[in-house]
């Protein structure tokens, strides 16, 4: 059923059906996506930006033989859609045959998973402002300033092709995040959910304020090798670099991945198990990929051993196997979007107790790949960085730059948190790593 | 469109808004991507819509929609006011105020000799595929890729203060890249720049001026040579940056910290804040006397150029760093008002469904009086680095680390061996204070960067940076465990 800002399954299928009917191509693929998104942003303890956005985009891929053209429009008017089809067809005619083209996927049953919550969809600007006020009040009470954002929205995606694929999914999401700060330190906390009722602004406020209090007047520790405790957001950041290029089957084929020739080997720590699962409601479920292929649960690493890779339709076809439902990203190749790391049995407290001299990291900032084959990543720590000595947190420290390989992090990690947290689109625990290379320090 | 814009402004005013503006934006984009002898994607996209921004009771609200109809304009204006009312429930002790601007009725168009949309798609494909073929003559190349992009943006801005501004901008960009990989080593080389090439607010003539085919074989050969090149040593030495790497250095360590919204903490939870706090304005020694940096939105052809920003403030040229002293910020009307100043005209929005935020225009390091040759001859021991590969900087924009595609040893005034995996790190003001030579205007070049991310929800800005090669003394290079 159509609701404000969403087309609904019936109408979405009608629109894509119309495109498929009128396309002149030998084959045609349509991707229709959009929805509504609201974001209330605050800083200095007041709401300084507050926005709403609604709309859809329609992408048409028209294929003649091995010649492919695409066009997209954000207007669903009959004329605009017609123009997009014509443009895609004209562009395809101009193309040279793409010898790498392996066709498009046929239909397969798509599992149902509910990720749409009225509570999130109906959440109003006043509701978001109320949540924000809980945080700004908590910060103000301690003489701190809070900045952050409260985002809620609903989106839908419909993928169809001329071989009979008809996939539709709608979902809601909510994200509340804040940095609570003074001139001499800051602390971060956030919460993500598909159902906004799971987000407790008071709890987010409590964590960020406590972190900020503990982070006041940090001291310099010299760069070098330290034990580290990475909280879930930092873990997810590193994990992204490991998976992005590494576990893509096309990158492995082209020799661009550190896994080229190494699938089946034990490259990681015994405690490291990793999989992608588009149906697990602990994450942000999405039952099919951008090619309309149902998502398979793919075990990437089991007890440190590399088990499998992520496949899109093209790469799977080349290797004579089933696609895993991680395609549709064009030149990027297959990508993970619902990563899960196996939990362990430790708490962050346990990790602190077991640390002789180390750094506890809340999150990273502005990380970037320095070398893809070594998965060497550089970045800064941010919003809650603490020195741990002889089993306890002794003081806040000025933020450090690291230049470290994700292969080493997940290859040597020796304690894993028992609680899983949503961090971006991944669901991960905290971890303890015995040695981590810091290469610089900043002034705050 | 006057009917629609008036409708939005009238509805907002009737509902009690003290200020409102509307932008109607229509974007058309064409992209060609080639990869290993194939046209990997050939696409055309169009996005049209409008956004209404209002001030109610001293607080902001914004809503937007892709359906450009009178009925929708009314709904969106109403929603913007309702959202602003919610904002007003979590306020400071003062209202948002706007620095004054003269209302204008104006039209502006970027200059373009050959409309990139009028050039046959076949010609664009042919150019990139020929470059692809030339690159793959070298068998060490695993992936050869090419990229072309053309963008046309038609924009109308109208405000309750009486401005009505129509602007049309055309942008064109292109580039090629070769990736070589062997035995656990992977190296890339690109031309004319990484991240898809170079971009400008010009037409097809800009792509022709790149002479891409003349560089394809060199790019491929260098990518393969890098696989077996010497590892950049870990040391402290004199560093010479080419102008393309300097653009990124300027972008990250000057362009972002001078954004006044960051200074006020408005980006704190995402992009971060700034070390250039307001008491430093006019006194802080940002760099050596060789360092003069300007923000110039008036430069013809600049990717960050325009007639008016997205608040209707005219394009300006502002001195940011004057012979080493930090002088000015990039600002919007509301951030400038906090300092009791007028806007420096840097509020820009990424399309119809985003609000204007403080953005870079063209942030340029002014030329000095050296030549690159003279700088090299004058360097006893050092490293020359070219073309950005990776970037990272802390959230106040102090501690940075950048990696480059290729580097060369400098010994006794001449270029020596090629170095791979080179990077350098430092603290922003210490680095700029160590700048002792900047090349002259003959070697100065304006680059376009199409991928600056900022804001929540995310916005991507197209900005420009001009620079000539420059030298920095005593810089830490070769960071990380590479052996
Ligand atoms: Zn940027």
């Amino acid at each position: 059923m159509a609701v404000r800002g969403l087309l609904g399954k019936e109408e979405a299928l009608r629109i894509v059906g119309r495109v498929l009917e009128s396309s002149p191509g030998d084959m045609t693929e349509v991707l229709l996506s959009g929805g509504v998104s609201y974001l209330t942003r605050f800083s200095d303890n007041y709401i300084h930006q507050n926005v709403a956005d609604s709309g859809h985009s329609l992408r048409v891929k028209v294929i003649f033989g091995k010649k492919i053209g695409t066009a997209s429009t954000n207007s669903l008017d009959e004329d605009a859609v017609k123009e997009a089809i014509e443009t895609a067809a004209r562009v395809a005619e101009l193309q040279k045959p793409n010898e790498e083209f392996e066709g498009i996927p046929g239909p397969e049953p798509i599992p149902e998973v509910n990720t749409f919550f009225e509570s999130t969809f109906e959440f109003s600007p006043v509701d978001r402002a109320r949540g924000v006020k809980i945080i700004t009040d908590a910060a103000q009470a301690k003489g701190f300033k809070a900045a952050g954002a409260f985002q809620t929205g609903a989106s839908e995606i419909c993928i169809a092709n001329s071989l009979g694929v008809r996939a539709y999914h709608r979902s809601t999401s909510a994200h509340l995040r804040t940095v609570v700060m003074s001139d001499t330190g800051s602390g971060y906390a956030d919460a993500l959910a598909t159902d906004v009722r799971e987000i407790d602004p008071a709890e987010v406020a409590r964590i960020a304020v406590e972190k900020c209090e503990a982070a006041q007047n940090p001291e310099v520790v010299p760069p070098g090798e330290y034990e580290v405790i990475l909280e879930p957001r930092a873990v997810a950041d590193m994990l992204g670099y490991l998976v992005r290029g590494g576990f893509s089957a096309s990158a492995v084929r082209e020799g661009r991945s550190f896994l080229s020739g190494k699938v089946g080997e034990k490259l990681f720590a015994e405690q490291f198990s990793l999989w992608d699962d588009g149906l697990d409601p602990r994450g942000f479920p999405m039952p099919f990929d951008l090619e309309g292929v149902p998502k398979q649960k793919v075990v990437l690493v089991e007890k440190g051993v590399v088990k499998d890779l992520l496949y899109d339709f093209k790469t799977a076809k080349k290797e004579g196997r089933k696609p895993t439902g991680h395609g549709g990203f064009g030149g990027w190749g297959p990508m993970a979007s619902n990563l899960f790391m196996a939990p362990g049995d430790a708490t962050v407290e346990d990790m602190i107790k077991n640390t002789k001299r180390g750094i506890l990291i809340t999150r990273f900032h502005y990380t970037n790949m320095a070398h893809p084959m070594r998965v060497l990543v550089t970045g800064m720590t941010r919003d809650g960085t603490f020195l741990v000595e002889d089993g306890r947190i002794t003081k806040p420290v000025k933020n450090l730059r690291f230049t470290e390989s994700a292969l080493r992090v997940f290859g040597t990690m020796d304690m894993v948190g028992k609680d899983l947290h949503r961090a971006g689109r991944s669901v991960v625990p905290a971890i303890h790593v015995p040695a981590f290379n810091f290469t610089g320090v900043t002034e705050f | 469109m006057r009917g629609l814009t008036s409708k939005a402004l009238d509805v907002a005013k009737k509902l009690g808004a003290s200020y409102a503006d509307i932008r109607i934006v229509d974007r058309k984009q064409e992209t060609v991507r080639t990869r290993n002898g194939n046209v990997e994607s050939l696409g055309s996209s169009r996005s049209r819509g409008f956004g209404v921004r209002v001030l109610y009771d001293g607080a902001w609200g914004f809503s937007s929609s892709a359906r450009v109809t009178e009925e929708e304009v009314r709904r969106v204006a109403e929603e913007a006011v309702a959202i602003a009312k919610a904002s007003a429930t979590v306020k400071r002790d003062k209202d948002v105020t706007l620095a004054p601007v003269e209302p204008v009725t104006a039209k502006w168009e970027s200059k373009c000799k050959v409309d990139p949309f009028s050039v046959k798609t076949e010609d664009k494909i042919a150019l990139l595929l020929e470059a692809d073929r030339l690159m793959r003559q070298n068998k060490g190349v695993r992936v050869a890729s090419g990229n072309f992009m053309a963008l046309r943006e038609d924009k109308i801005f109208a405000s309750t203060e009486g401005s009505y501004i129509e602007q049309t901008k055309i942008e064109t960009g292109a580039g090629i890249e070769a990736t070589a990989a062997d035995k656990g080593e992977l190296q890339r080389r690109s031309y004319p720049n990484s991240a898809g090439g170079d971009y400008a607010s010009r037409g097809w003539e800009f792509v022709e001026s790149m002479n891409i085919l003349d560089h394809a074989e060199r790019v491929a050969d260098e990518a393969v040579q890098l696989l077996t090149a010497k590892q950049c040593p870990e040391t402290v030495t004199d560093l010479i940056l080419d102008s393309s790497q300097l653009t990124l250095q300027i972008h990250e360590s000057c362009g972002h910290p001078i954004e006044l919204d960051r200074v006020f903490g408005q980006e704190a939870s995402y992009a971060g804040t700034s070390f250039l706090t307001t008491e430093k304005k006019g006194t802080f020694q940002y760099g050596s006397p060789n360092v003069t940096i300007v923000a110039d939105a008036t430069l013809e052809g600049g990717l960050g150029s325009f007639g008016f920003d997205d608040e209707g403030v005219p394009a300006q040229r502002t001195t940011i760093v004057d012979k080493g002293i930090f002088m000015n910020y990039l600002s919007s009307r509301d951030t400038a008002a906090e300092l009791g100043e007028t806007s420096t005209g840097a509020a820009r929005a990424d399309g119809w469904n985003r609000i204007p935020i403080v953005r870079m225009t063209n942030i340029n390091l002014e030329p000095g009086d050296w030549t690159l040759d003279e700088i090299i001859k004058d360097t006893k021991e050092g490293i020359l680095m070219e073309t950005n590969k990776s970037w990272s900087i802390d959230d106040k924009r102090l501690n940075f680390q950048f990696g480059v595609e290729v580097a060369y040893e400098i010994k006794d005034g001449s270029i020596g061996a090629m170095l791979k995996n080179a990077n350098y790190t430092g603290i922003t003001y210490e680095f700029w204070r160590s700048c002792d030579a900047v090349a002259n205007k003959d070697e100065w070049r304006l680059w376009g960067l199409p991928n600056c991310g900022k804001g929540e929800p995310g916005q991507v800005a197209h900005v420009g940076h001009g620079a000539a090669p420059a030298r920095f003394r005593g810089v830490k290079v070769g960071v990380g465990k590479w052996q």
Side-chain angles (χ1 to χ4, degrees), chain A residues 366, chain B residues 251-252 256 360 452-453:
Chain A
Y366 221 146
Chain B
H251 182 91
E252 302 289 7
H256 279 302
M360 286 174 228
C452 175

Side-chain angles (χ1 to χ4, degrees), chain A residues 11-23 30 160 166:
Chain A
E11 175 65 3
L13 286 174
R14 194 189 65 77
I15 294 169
V16 297
R18 209 174 70 202
V19 175
L20 292 174
E21 270 165 35
S22 46
S23 167
V30 196
R166 298 287 185 280

Side-chain angles (χ1 to χ4, degrees), chain A residues 366, chain B residues 251-252 256 259 359-360 397 449 451-454 463:
Chain A
Y366 221 146
Chain B
H251 182 91
E252 302 289 7
H256 279 302
E259 294 163 349
R359 285 307 213 152
M360 286 174 228
R397 302 271 151 178
L449 224 70
N451 57 356
C452 175
K454 184 180 174 182
V463 306

Side-chain angles (χ1 to χ4, degrees), chain B residues 64 112 120 157 174 186 191 198 268-269 273 276 306 401 417 427 467:
Chain B
S64 60
C112 159
K120 280 197 192 145
F157 170 89
L186 183 141
Y191 175 82
D198 193 15
S269 71
T273 59
L276 286 172
F306 44 76
Q401 183 167 315
I427 295 288

Side-chain angles (χ1 to χ4, degrees), chain A residues 225 366 371 382 401 442-443, chain B residues 185 268 392 394 399 429 481:
Chain A
E225 294 255 340
Y366 221 146
H371 195 286
R382 184 177 174 184
R401 169 171 298 287
T442 190
E443 296 182 350
Chain B
E185 187 55 270
S392 173
D394 72 42
N399 179 307
Y429 61 83
K481 294 196 168 85

Side-chain angles (χ1 to χ4, degrees), chain B residues 117-406:
Chain B
F117 292 94
S118 75
V119 175
K120 280 197 192 145
T121 308
E122 294 95 310
D123 295 350
K124 296 162 187 165
I125 293 174
L127 173 70
L128 294 183
L129 283 182
E130 177 59 8
D132 187 289
R133 187 187 69 78
L134 291 169
M135 284 190 280
R136 283 183 308 123
Q137 283 176 347
N138 189 323
K139 294 301 165 212
V141 171
R142 291 287 179 104
V143 181
S145 63
N147 173 54
F148 166 84
M149 188 280 312
L151 176 79
R152 181 193 166 101
E153 185 179 72
D154 292 289
K155 193 156 67 172
I156 295 169
F157 170 89
S159 76
T160 49
E161 293 174 352
S163 281
Y164 189 88
I165 300 167
E166 293 166 272
Q167 298 191 82
T168 297
K169 190 172 175 184
I170 286 187
E171 296 177 5
T172 311
I176 56 170
E177 185 181 82
T179 303
D182 192 31
K183 299 190 189 86
E185 187 55 270
L186 183 141
Q187 295 293 333
R188 286 200 180 97
R189 198 71 182 100
S190 62
Y191 175 82
N193 203 354
S194 50
D198 193 15
Y199 295 76
S201 184
R202 297 190 185 278
W204 176 250
E205 70 277 7
F206 177 65
V207 175
E208 288 189 319
S209 74
M210 291 180 188
N211 299 317
I212 283 177
L213 298 181
D214 296 347
H215 294 268
E217 286 158 289
R218 174 184 63 79
V219 159
D221 293 347
E222 286 180 3
V224 175
Q225 280 172 42
L226 276 165
L227 292 175
T228 51
K230 242 167 90 173
Q231 172 63 40
C232 174
E234 183 167 7
T235 184
V236 172
T237 190
D238 292 346
L239 175 66
I240 303 169
L241 297 180
D242 80 327
S243 76
S244 75
Q245 172 55 31
L246 252 178
T247 62
L248 205 88
Q249 181 73 47
I250 296 165
H251 182 91
E252 302 289 7
S253 69
C254 182
H256 279 302
I258 60 171
E259 294 163 349
L260 193 50
D261 57 344
R262 289 183 68 119
V263 176
F264 292 139
Q266 295 189 2
E267 291 286 328
S269 71
Y270 181 62
T273 59
S274 172
F275 74 98
L276 286 172
T277 41
T278 50
E279 81 286 353
K280 293 197 173 79
K281 188 171 180 281
T283 57
F284 181 71
Q285 199 198 330
Y286 176 89
S288 74
N290 301 301
V291 178
T292 292
I293 297 174
V294 300
D296 191 351
T298 67
L299 273 180
E300 190 183 314
L303 200 66
S305 299
F306 44 76
F308 298 84
D309 76 357
D310 288 325
E311 294 187 307
V313 177
Q316 294 164 47
R317 180 184 156 95
T318 308
T319 300
I320 300 296
V321 175
D322 188 14
K323 297 190 180 73
I325 305 298
F326 166 62
M327 300 302 292
N328 265 305
Y329 292 108
L330 292 167
S331 64
S332 56
R333 292 184 66 189
D334 60 351
T335 53
E338 304 255 331
L339 288 185
E341 297 181 353
T342 55
S343 166
T344 53
R348 304 172 67 195
D350 179 10
W352 53 268
N353 59 356
R354 296 289 183 266
I355 52 167
I357 54 177
V358 178
R359 285 307 213 152
M360 286 174 228
T361 55
N362 304 294
I363 314 300
N364 310 322
L365 175 67
E366 294 291 89
D369 42 24
W370 296 64
T371 66
L372 176 58
D373 245 20
E374 287 166 359
I375 296 175
I376 291 169
K377 284 210 178 79
D378 186 63
T379 304
K380 200 163 158 21
E381 201 173 293
I383 293 180
L384 167 67
M385 297 196 192
E386 292 180 9
T387 319
N388 183 260
K389 188 160 79 174
S390 76
W391 59 95
S392 173
I393 187 162
D394 72 42
D395 55 286
K396 289 190 201 290
R397 302 271 151 178
L398 280 166
N399 179 307
F400 63 81
Q401 183 167 315
F402 299 124
V404 295
E405 288 185 353
V406 66

